[in-house]
Amino acid sequence: MEEVRVFCPATIANISCGFDVLGVALDSVGDEMVVRKTKETGIRITKLEGQDLPLETNKNVAGVAGLALLEKAEYTGGFEIEIYKKIKAGSGIGSSAASSTGAVWAMNHLLGNPFSKTELVQFAMEGERLASGVAHADNVAPALFGAFTLVRSYTPLDIVPIKNPSELYATVIHPQIEVKTSDSRKILKTTISLENGIKQWGNVGGLVAGLFMEDYDLIGRSLEDHIIEPIRSILIPGFNSIKEETIKSGALGCGISGSGPSIFTFSKGEETAQKVAEAMKKIYKNIGIDFDIHVSKINTQGIKIIN
Ligand code: ADP
């Protein structure tokens, strides 16, 4: 096979209590990429539609992640990449992760799958390092594994795939304001109190258990963030009202998606997820901020081949 076209899912990272360690892949929003083998070595990005992003290999996360793979591959040729962006860069739903994972997944596929998913996560993390200055794995892991993932450890990298409750839906609203990932990292404190630590790891454990047991109430109770959200939510207008109104509309919980400005909720069933979407829309219409909104099932497969 010389060429492959893939769907690269958007992802929600952090998921309230799991800063830098939890993430989940979405089904109804993502980019598309075409990757093809070339005789010449190296990587060239030949097309980029939908967003104004650099085509230079070393300035685009797809190029940087791809080069990390190429360095370790026993392959003397190279690749050409076309990127069709549907996820806006800086949205907080894993725009950079979609491109870096799509590139390495497709290349691995064209080479006959010499690398494991965990190795692909490592290559894709180099793309995240370019995008945000930090090689975090909480978006790239769910994009590659599908469903929910836990980064149990970064050194050594240990990714734990987590079961997806079948009736779980995500509603994500992206207010059209700019919050730079680097800025939303800068405002975070580097120390936490023991009291908040105890609350936070209780919730991480509760959330993971709730997902495995399909216990929607436990999932809802565990969607709490005592460390990051109180600081970051200040950057997102209307966050507190959205949280209050979506919970009233039946959402299990509500938090900041990635480093924002997108806000996510989880609901049991599509009907509630749609009701939650209406509550979110109303708030941003009242405030006068434009938005994109997505209601999505959880993507259990991760990146997939499309025609
Ligand atoms: P998100 O939170 O949606 O993942 P990030 O802030 O992590 O967005 O990443 C966006 C940054 O990565 C921007 O600075 C953008 O210019 C850079 N970037 C480089 N290549 C790409 C790409 N192919 N797709 C998206 N962003 C890219």
Side-chain angles (χ1 to χ4, degrees):
M1 193 193 286
E2 296 302 305
E3 176 182 307
V4 68
R5 188 180 191 100
V6 291
F7 169 80
C8 322
T11 43
I12 299 169
N14 297 341
I15 317 188
S16 297
C17 49
F19 181 66
D20 272 3
V21 298
L22 286 174
V24 64
L26 300 178
D27 207 31
S28 69
V29 49
D31 293 343
E32 286 181 23
M33 291 171 89
V34 175
V35 178
R36 90 178 51 85
K37 279 177 160 177
T38 57
K39 282 209 182 79
E40 325 71 82
T41 190
I43 289 169
R44 282 184 311 136
I45 297 163
T46 53
K47 218 185 228 186
L48 205 162
E49 288 180 8
Q51 287 278 282
D52 187 15
L53 290 164
L55 280 169
E56 294 100 307
T57 305
N58 60 0
K59 289 191 184 152
N60 193 298
V61 298
V64 169
L67 286 174
L69 177 145
L70 212 50
E71 213 175 276
K72 294 274 185 299
E74 286 175 22
Y75 169 58
T76 52
F79 295 97
E80 259 177 25
I81 303 177
E82 296 173 10
I83 307 174
Y84 301 91
K85 295 294 298 179
K86 308 264 169 67
I87 314 169
K88 290 185 180 147
S91 55
I93 52 169
S95 173
S96 48
S99 292
S100 38
T101 54
V104 296
W105 190 95
M107 288 175 194
N108 192 43
H109 180 78
L110 293 173
L111 295 177
N113 296 313
F115 298 109
S116 69
K117 279 189 185 169
T118 301
E119 286 172 308
L120 295 184
V121 168
Q122 261 157 335
F123 301 140
M125 283 166 71
E126 292 308 315
E128 294 295 70
R129 194 194 302 281
L130 173 73
S132 68
V134 181
H136 59 100
D138 50 344
N139 287 107
V140 297
L144 285 160
F145 281 81
F148 287 82
T149 51
L150 169 76
V151 185
R152 191 206 57 80
S153 151
Y154 272 84
T155 43
L157 190 62
D158 186 2
I159 311 281
V160 184
I162 299 170
K163 197 180 154 203
N164 167 54
S166 55
E167 289 179 80
L168 202 67
Y169 276 76
T171 310
V172 185
I173 193 157
H174 174 206
Q176 307 295 292
I177 53 164
E178 196 189 353
V179 176
K180 287 210 175 108
T181 305
S182 48
D183 288 346
S184 55
R185 274 200 180 256
K186 256 185 246 155
I187 62 167
L188 298 179
K189 298 196 180 102
T190 51
T191 55
I192 62 166
S193 68
L194 183 60
E195 190 191 349
N196 278 340
I198 291 167
K199 289 183 195 162
Q200 201 85 348
W201 53 68
N203 281 318
V204 173
L207 181 53
V208 172
L211 291 166
F212 273 109
M213 296 192 300
E214 301 217 15
D215 182 336
Y216 293 90
D217 289 337
L218 178 56
I219 293 169
R221 291 201 302 281
S222 308
L223 286 170
E224 277 189 346
D225 177 1
H226 294 276
I227 296 171
I228 311 294
E229 187 179 294
I231 301 171
R232 279 195 172 160
S233 57
I234 296 159
L235 301 174
I236 307 171
F239 178 81
N240 291 334
S241 316
I242 294 242
K243 189 160 181 162
E244 217 177 290
E245 290 306 315
T246 52
I247 304 280
K248 268 192 213 157
S249 303
L252 300 168
C254 172
I256 302 169
S257 179
S259 55
S262 288
I263 302 171
F264 79 93
T265 62
F266 290 141
S267 301
K268 185 180 179 188
E270 192 176 3
E271 206 183 312
T272 308
Q274 294 290 1
K275 222 172 115 190
V276 165
E278 291 310 312
M280 286 174 151
K281 284 184 199 171
K282 210 166 139 192
I283 289 165
Y284 276 131
K285 276 186 189 153
N286 281 342
I287 302 179
I289 294 179
D290 288 340
F291 55 81
D292 290 333
I293 193 153
H294 312 284
V295 175
S296 178
K297 270 189 95 147
I298 304 306
N299 170 341
T300 52
Q301 192 184 348
I303 293 171
K304 59 183 173 206
I305 296 176
I306 47 173
N307 294 316

